[in-house]
Amino acid sequence: MRSFFLSDEELGKKDDDHNTKPFPNNGGVRPSKWNPAARVPPRRSLKRIALVLLVAAGVYLFFKNIPVLGPHQGMRRPNYVYPDSSSTLHKRPSNGEPARIVTNSHVSNTPERTYNGPVKFHDLAASLHAIAGTRGGSMVNRNILFAASSLKSAATLLPIACQMAAELKNYVHFALLSRSDIDVEELRSVNGIDDSCQIIFHDARPDYALVSTEDRMENAVFRSLYHINTYMHPQAIMIDGSDEEEGFFARAVRQHVKGTRTTLVELPLKSAKSLEWMSRLDSASLRLWDKNHIDILIQATPGASGGLIRLLRSLSAADYTSSSVPHLTIDLPHDVDPPTKQFLETFTWPPSHVYNPTNARYLSLRHRIPHQRLTEEESSARFLESFWPAQPEHSHILVLSPQVEVSPNFFHYLKYSLLEYRYSTMAAFQLWDRRLFGISLEQPLRQLNGESFSPPTLKNPDSENPAGEEMSTPFLWQAPTSNAVLFLGEKWMELHDFVSRSLEAKEGLETVPELLSEKMIGKHHPSWLEHALRLCRVRGYWLLYPGQDTARNLATVHNELSRLPEEYAGEERSKSLLTDGASDEEIDNVRQKLRLESEITLAPRVSLLESLSNDGNLRPIGDLPILTWDGRTTDLDVSNSLAAAYESEFKEKVGSCDVEAPEELIRVREKLSAQDLFCATV
């Protein structure tokens, strides 16, 4: 043992000492001949061989256990290998006994759920170590987690997860946190999940799940989600929100999302079809699923009780499973019709079919005190004051006219469009939110001044006609509408500031400029829309309008009971459009007006994706036609030029700004403000 630890130099000195030692048989001289073959190999060679073998084994094990990430781990999906089902480490016997043998005498072989020992996850580490390619260590990524404890809930979630994975926008994970001892491969097979479904499965079940107490299972779910969050940081967690799910699972998930502030999406019962569009969203949109809120604002007009009642009934029949209950505000005039009073006495909001465990009332009625007719300025200020977003980036307002009737799917379309065009990764990258003013539910048949309007169309790529068949398409129009439109909270706050400064500038000017006095919008629209049009023109904002095929499944505007806004109610319309002895030209003009009074009727109810073109995917804003405020087709460069020219004119004539001032003296544009347009106001 001593020689094993000696150096080469010490070993050489020891051999010399042996050579000079006298031998008694030959007079003290060492024999000159000896057999080298009989010499034992030095022990230092054995040591080196052992070290080489040890290093080789370590290198082999290191390379064998490295996760396969691929050449571009930021772009490709992870190469996930399922654990070997034949291994005793991952196999779960059908009798429900734990896979590992332990010597705890207090563990019973009976199915009673009494075990409350330490929690271990034998199958979770392998799958979590294999997802490094999803960049789960980053707080912002593309990971979406579906989780279930009940096998019925798993059967509900797996088809939605497969649809989302097929879109190739997210890394879709599925975690099983169940008592069941079903094998993961069997779970896939039973639910028709083959290799074409790009889902990454995680077996997050603890040991002894079958005999564990409720508290232990709840603790296990909470701890497994903690480990999953460490390796994955999912942007949203999808679970079954119906009664099919286990109680311990739901409690633990809700505790987890409170601690991590992860978005939780609880899918209602039988919502797989109605929320099918959810699978088309990316992780950036889904992360804000429950962060946005939409309020509804209705400005009632005198004598329009029939239209208002029809609108409220259609709102009550709509589907709101995609979001929290919207708050409804009805702005009533001074004189309220008796039918309206009677209907509002029994009207409840939210409707009875909407889940409302607190029985809270989300309805506000505002009644005007002054009896005299309001001016345009007073009416505009009163209506805009009806809403103020608490969080400009996440609070939005849906304005509805009493002439409108909405479809059951209208709220799904708003949520889908809002998440895609305002919060998606593409929207943030291409700055769509900077130009988007609102999202309309109707496709107008007339321009703002009442003239005829022809919506743009696109060539149908599936048409067999070589010349191409035209099809309806969504489009961007600089003209706002007051019938059925969702205004973004940020733009609504900017409109507030714009109207306030415009009214102040109008009082301070000796002569009101034509930009403020000229009416570009007909009196069948309320007066506040004139201010919205000016803001859109000066900023170059657009509104998103649906194609005709989609609009039929969202909303329609009824003109047979239309009434003028209250500020224009004193201006009587002609009782007869045609008079005796009318000329041919007058007859043609009346016929044209009557034709324009036609409306888009609501189609029978279909799913939202079936009503959308482009296979249910929303077209990118950059691919949509652009129209000027007066209905002319244009492009982005011309639209920017027109906005710059109108802004310069507005600043000079209304804002009293020196357009030729040095650049350092020009006011910088501020978010949520129109201060840069008005130089004479503070």
Side-chain angles (χ1 to χ4, degrees):
M1 290 298 296
R2 290 179 56 203
S3 64
F4 186 81
F5 295 99
L6 294 176
S7 63
D8 291 344
E9 184 178 352
E10 292 172 329
L11 287 173
K13 184 178 183 300
K14 184 175 182 66
D15 290 340
D16 291 341
D17 293 341
H18 283 294
N19 292 336
T20 57
K21 185 176 182 179
F23 283 80
N25 297 334
N26 57 4
V29 181
R30 185 186 177 114
S32 59
K33 294 183 179 181
W34 55 283
N35 187 7
R39 186 178 180 182
V40 180
R43 292 186 177 182
R44 64 178 180 272
S45 298
L46 296 176
K47 178 182 178 182
R48 291 172 180 172
I49 293 174
L51 290 174
V52 170
L53 292 176
L54 183 62
V55 171
V59 171
Y60 171 77
L61 293 175
F62 175 77
F63 281 99
K64 181 178 178 58
N65 290 278
I66 289 182
V68 180
L69 301 182
H72 305 288
Q73 63 179 15
M75 301 298 295
R76 70 185 294 270
R77 294 182 174 273
N79 185 3
Y80 178 73
V81 180
Y82 291 100
D84 184 6
S85 60
S86 63
S87 171
T88 58
L89 180 64
H90 303 98
K91 189 174 181 180
R92 294 180 177 269
S94 59
N95 59 5
E97 292 292 326
R100 296 179 181 271
I101 300 176
V102 295
T103 58
N104 288 336
S105 60
H106 64 277
V107 178
S108 174
N109 292 326
T110 64
E112 295 181 1
R113 297 170 179 175
T114 58
Y115 180 60
N116 197 27
V119 176
K120 294 182 180 180
F121 304 96
H122 298 313
D123 304 337
L124 184 57
S127 60
L128 292 182
H129 289 160
I131 63 171
T134 66
R135 299 184 181 273
S138 174
M139 297 297 294
V140 179
N141 53 60
R142 294 187 293 162
N143 291 319
I144 299 297
L145 174 65
F146 287 78
S149 176
S150 166
L151 296 184
K152 291 183 179 180
S153 297
T156 300
L157 296 177
L158 282 172
I160 303 176
C162 277
Q163 292 176 5
M164 184 178 294
E167 297 296 325
L168 301 179
K169 294 182 178 181
N170 307 305
Y171 294 106
V172 181
H173 306 258
F174 183 89
L176 183 63
L177 307 98
S178 175
R179 289 185 182 273
S180 172
D181 56 8
I182 186 173
D183 189 76
V184 172
E185 289 295 335
E186 184 180 354
L187 178 68
R188 287 162 51 90
S189 177
V190 168
N191 291 279
I193 307 299
D194 54 20
D195 293 337
S196 64
C197 181
Q198 301 294 320
I199 298 179
I200 306 172
F201 282 85
H202 301 274
D203 191 344
R205 292 172 288 183
D207 57 346
Y208 304 105
L210 192 59
V211 294
S212 296
T213 63
E214 286 284 307
D215 289 341
R216 185 177 188 266
M217 289 302 298
E218 184 175 336
N219 179 41
V221 173
F222 186 86
R223 291 186 58 185
S224 65
L225 290 176
Y226 167 79
H227 294 303
I228 291 173
N229 185 74
T230 302
Y231 284 84
M232 187 190 304
H233 287 104
Q235 305 301 285
I237 299 178
M238 311 283 184
I239 67 171
D240 181 10
S242 68
D243 295 335
E244 298 291 348
E245 195 51 271
E246 299 285 355
F248 66 83
F249 171 81
R251 291 191 300 270
V253 172
R254 294 187 182 106
Q255 293 170 6
H256 170 77
V257 298
K258 285 182 179 179
T260 59
R261 298 188 182 277
T262 306
T263 298
L264 176 64
V265 180
E266 300 187 47
L267 300 179
L269 181 65
K270 299 180 181 180
S271 61
K273 186 66 174 178
S274 61
L275 294 180
E276 189 179 5
W277 51 269
M278 177 196 297
S279 62
R280 311 300 175 94
L281 298 172
D282 64 5
S283 59
S285 300
L286 293 172
R287 184 172 65 248
L288 298 173
W289 177 269
D290 59 348
K291 305 298 189 298
N292 296 283
H293 190 76
I294 297 175
D295 285 16
I296 301 177
L297 179 58
I298 302 174
Q299 187 179 27
T301 54
S305 59
L308 178 61
I309 294 173
R310 179 178 51 199
L311 170 60
L312 294 178
R313 284 176 175 168
S314 66
L315 286 173
S316 297
D319 184 4
Y320 301 97
T321 55
S322 63
S323 182
S324 58
V325 179
H327 187 276
L328 175 61
T329 300
I330 304 177
D331 196 357
L332 299 171
H334 177 81
D335 297 323
V336 182
D337 301 330
T340 302
K341 290 182 180 180
Q342 296 175 4
F343 182 81
L344 292 177
E345 289 176 357
T346 58
F347 178 72
T348 59
W349 187 265
S352 57
H353 66 85
V354 176
Y355 180 67
N356 185 23
T358 61
N359 292 322
R361 184 175 173 87
Y362 297 94
L363 175 65
S364 297
L365 299 178
R366 300 178 72 246
H367 179 255
R368 183 166 61 84
I369 294 178
H371 187 277
Q372 64 272 17
R373 182 164 61 94
L374 299 178
T375 64
E376 293 183 355
E377 290 80 4
E378 292 172 342
S379 177
S380 299
R382 171 179 168 81
F383 179 73
L384 294 175
E385 290 171 353
S386 300
F387 173 74
W388 181 256
Q391 296 177 314
E393 296 183 358
H394 303 296
S395 298
H396 313 286
I397 182 66
L398 172 63
V399 175
L400 296 175
S401 167
Q403 288 95 261
V404 171
E405 180 183 4
V406 297
S407 74
N409 287 330
F410 87 95
F411 210 73
H412 288 279
Y413 173 79
L414 287 180
K415 187 75 176 281
Y416 185 20
S417 301
L418 181 64
L419 291 176
E420 176 66 21
Y421 289 126
R422 174 61 181 85
Y423 301 106
S424 67
T425 302
M426 185 62 69
F429 179 74
Q430 297 190 353
L431 305 178
W432 293 348
D433 60 308
R434 296 190 179 182
R435 303 293 291 270
L436 187 62
F437 191 66
I439 301 173
S440 175
L441 292 173
E442 61 141 351
Q443 187 184 78
L445 300 176
R446 294 184 294 176
Q447 296 191 52
L448 294 178
N449 58 4
E451 296 181 359
S452 61
F453 173 70
S454 298
T457 57
L458 290 179
K459 296 290 184 180
N460 189 353
D462 300 329
S463 175
E464 298 179 357
N465 186 356
E469 181 181 349
E470 298 292 330
M471 66 176 186
S472 65
T473 177
F475 57 94
L476 301 172
W477 195 10
Q478 208 168 43
T481 177
S482 61
N483 289 326
V485 57
L486 176 74
F487 291 103
L488 302 186
E490 300 153 305
K491 303 303 188 294
W492 187 266
M493 291 184 68
E494 187 177 0
L495 179 61
H496 264 249
D497 192 61
F498 180 79
V499 173
S500 175
R501 296 180 185 275
S502 296
L503 297 179
E504 183 180 0
K506 186 176 181 180
E507 294 179 355
L509 295 173
E510 296 181 0
T511 303
V512 178
E514 188 177 358
L515 289 179
L516 293 181
S517 62
E518 183 181 12
K519 281 195 64 65
M520 311 301 297
I521 300 178
K523 294 184 178 180
H524 54 284
H525 286 290
S527 57
W528 62 266
L529 198 63
E530 198 81 50
H531 297 283
L533 174 61
R534 296 191 189 107
L535 181 59
C536 287
R537 294 183 64 184
V538 76
R539 295 297 197 199
Y541 291 154
W542 304 312
L543 277 85
L544 174 68
Y545 286 86
Q548 183 172 348
D549 296 336
T550 303
R552 292 184 183 276
N553 293 278
L554 299 178
T556 185
V557 180
H558 298 280
N559 296 309
E560 73 278 5
L561 297 177
S562 63
R563 294 290 187 273
L564 290 177
E566 186 179 5
E567 58 268 31
Y568 305 126
E571 303 178 14
E572 297 292 340
R573 289 180 172 178
S574 176
K575 294 182 180 181
S576 176
L577 295 177
L578 277 176
T579 58
D580 296 338
S583 63
D584 293 340
E585 183 179 358
E586 292 174 341
I587 295 176
D588 291 339
N589 290 337
V590 171
R591 184 173 179 271
Q592 177 72 3
K593 290 182 179 180
L594 293 175
R595 188 184 68 84
L596 291 176
E597 293 295 326
S598 61
E599 60 189 44
I600 297 178
T601 57
L602 286 177
R605 182 173 182 177
V606 297
S607 67
L608 178 60
L609 293 185
E610 293 175 352
S611 66
L612 297 175
S613 59
N614 195 28
D615 195 26
N617 293 296
L618 296 176
R619 296 184 182 276
I621 280 186
D623 296 344
L624 300 181
I626 302 176
L627 303 181
T628 60
W629 71 274
D630 53 356
R632 293 178 289 112
T633 305
T634 184
D635 56 27
L636 180 60
D637 293 335
V638 175
S639 178
N640 290 337
S641 300
L642 293 175
Y646 188 82
E647 177 185 6
S648 178
E649 182 182 6
F650 189 91
K651 283 184 175 181
E652 180 180 7
K653 296 182 178 179
V654 179
S656 301
C657 298
D658 183 4
V659 295
E660 298 181 357
E663 185 176 354
E664 59 271 12
L665 298 180
I666 298 178
R667 289 189 174 184
V668 179
R669 179 178 174 180
E670 298 180 6
K671 190 176 182 180
L672 312 178
S673 173
Q675 184 178 3
D676 60 299
L677 302 175
F678 301 86
C679 299
T681 60
V682 180

